[in-house]
Amino acid sequence: MRLVIARCSVDYAGRLTAHLPSAPRLILVKADGSVSIHADDRAYKPLNWMSPPCTLKEGAGDDAGTWTVINKAGEKLIITMEEVLHDSSHELGVDPGLIKDGVEAHLQELLADRIDTLGEGYSLIRREYPTAIGPVDILCRDADGATVAVELKRRGDIDGVEQLTRYLELLNRDPHLAPVKGIFAAQEIKPQARVLATDRGIGCVVLDYNAMRGIEDDKLRLF
């Protein structure tokens, strides 16, 4: 990543035209080819940008100090440098991506250890049961010996139900597991997700994270 702080003006020519008058700004040039111009406000949002794929050409001679960024549609972002205050490059390497939420991972661990939270007579088969489209959070059996796939979320929405539906379609093709039922478990389940799950024959379980951890509710109660 290249970081440039410069007093500059910016012109964009494409489906629309836009102009940023001269001011000190931060210019980010990322390894993916994207270029974005930032002010010292607006949080993470740039003032203007060009998404990849695009090419950056730095002018020379009479055009020194002029950057021209062109994308595949022919749109141009022209940055005219008046004074460069800082220019540095940093190799960040490959990003490992977002790691699964710690609470969600701990929920999985707690539920596997206390599988009877789902109902009396439940038994664990394994956590992170592998499928061709990713691991099922928990695979277990109910009191009748039927296979149950459990998808865990902190906040359960429609996407989670869709994900569990895809797992169930695959698991039910395995004669050693079928028929496989589904349970959508979360600390909070959105009403739309509950309706969709019920329509597809998927059970819903709301999990009390603190209770599973053995922590008493600190709210005042009358006995």
Side-chain angles (χ1 to χ4, degrees):
M1 179 183 290
R2 185 177 177 187
L3 308 175
V4 178
I5 299 175
R7 178 173 291 278
C8 62
S9 59
V10 183
D11 291 280
Y12 172 80
R15 288 168 293 179
L16 300 171
T17 58
H19 174 72
L20 293 174
S22 176
R25 297 187 176 95
L26 168 65
I27 303 164
L28 296 182
V29 183
K30 293 188 177 181
D32 63 3
S34 63
V35 178
S36 57
I37 297 97
H38 299 259
D40 202 11
D41 60 6
R42 298 168 59 95
Y44 61 89
K45 294 182 180 180
L47 296 165
N48 215 325
W49 69 93
M50 193 70 83
S51 300
C54 57
T55 58
L56 167 61
K57 180 181 178 182
E58 297 186 44
D62 293 340
D63 292 327
T66 299
W67 289 13
T68 304
V69 187
I70 306 175
N71 66 12
K72 62 179 181 180
E75 297 170 317
K76 292 183 180 181
L77 191 66
I78 301 171
I79 306 170
T80 304
M81 307 286 189
E82 298 172 14
E83 180 184 9
V84 176
L85 306 172
H86 175 86
D87 189 347
S88 64
S89 297
H90 307 270
E91 185 62 48
L92 302 185
V94 178
D95 191 271
L98 185 65
I99 296 173
K100 191 174 184 180
D101 182 274
V103 172
E104 193 172 306
H106 195 209
L107 268 174
Q108 184 191 111
E109 181 183 337
L110 288 170
L111 186 58
D113 189 51
R114 299 166 176 78
I115 198 66
D116 56 359
T117 301
L118 300 176
E120 188 176 349
Y122 272 69
S123 58
L124 178 69
I125 296 176
R126 69 168 287 178
R127 293 168 53 192
E128 299 287 332
Y129 187 88
T131 76
I133 58 172
V136 177
D137 286 329
I138 289 179
L139 199 67
C140 57
R141 296 193 187 281
D142 65 13
D144 299 322
T147 310
V148 181
V150 183
E151 179 63 24
L152 277 165
K153 299 291 183 187
R154 286 188 65 188
R155 295 177 178 83
D157 56 22
I158 286 177
D159 288 344
V161 178
E162 294 285 6
Q163 184 178 358
L164 179 54
T165 300
R166 292 192 293 270
Y167 288 146
L168 290 172
E169 288 176 357
L170 279 180
L171 293 170
N172 274 301
R173 296 176 192 173
D174 186 338
H176 299 291
L177 298 175
V180 183
K181 300 186 295 184
I183 290 180
F184 189 49
Q187 291 177 269
E188 173 192 351
I189 299 177
K190 300 291 181 65
Q192 300 93 327
R194 187 180 290 276
V195 169
L196 181 61
T198 301
D199 182 67
R200 295 182 177 180
I202 294 171
C204 292
V205 174
V206 176
L207 301 173
D208 187 330
Y209 182 52
N210 285 337
M212 293 173 69
R213 294 163 66 201
I215 297 175
E216 287 288 338
D217 190 342
D218 60 1
K219 293 179 182 177
L220 293 176
R221 292 175 290 180
L222 295 176
F223 295 92

